[in-house]
Amino acid sequence: MHSQSLFAQLMRMGLLLGLSLLAVHHSPTLLELLAQQAIDSGCHQTGHHSDHTHHH
């Protein structure tokens, strides 16, 4: 039923991951943008407000 082998899928995913890592590594602006996005999403991960204040 699968049209592609598992090996081919893993190779394609590995290649895309490698290209993504290279792009982030060579682009400080992109790295900063992704880091800020990760911080923001982690900050609001819980559904309730915590005791510490948020500075955005």
Side-chain angles (χ1 to χ4, degrees), residues 14 28 36:
Q36 187 60 46

Side-chain angles (χ1 to χ4, degrees), residues 43-44 49-50 52-56:
C43 185
H44 300 287
H49 295 292
S50 57
H52 65 278
T53 59
H54 298 279
H55 299 285
H56 293 282

Side-chain angles (χ1 to χ4, degrees), residues 9-31:
Q9 291 178 3
L10 290 174
M11 288 299 293
R12 186 170 60 244
M13 290 174 60
L15 179 63
L16 289 174
L17 176 62
L19 289 174
S20 299
L21 290 174
L22 280 173
V24 170
H25 180 71
H26 291 290
S27 176
T29 305
L30 182 59
L31 180 61

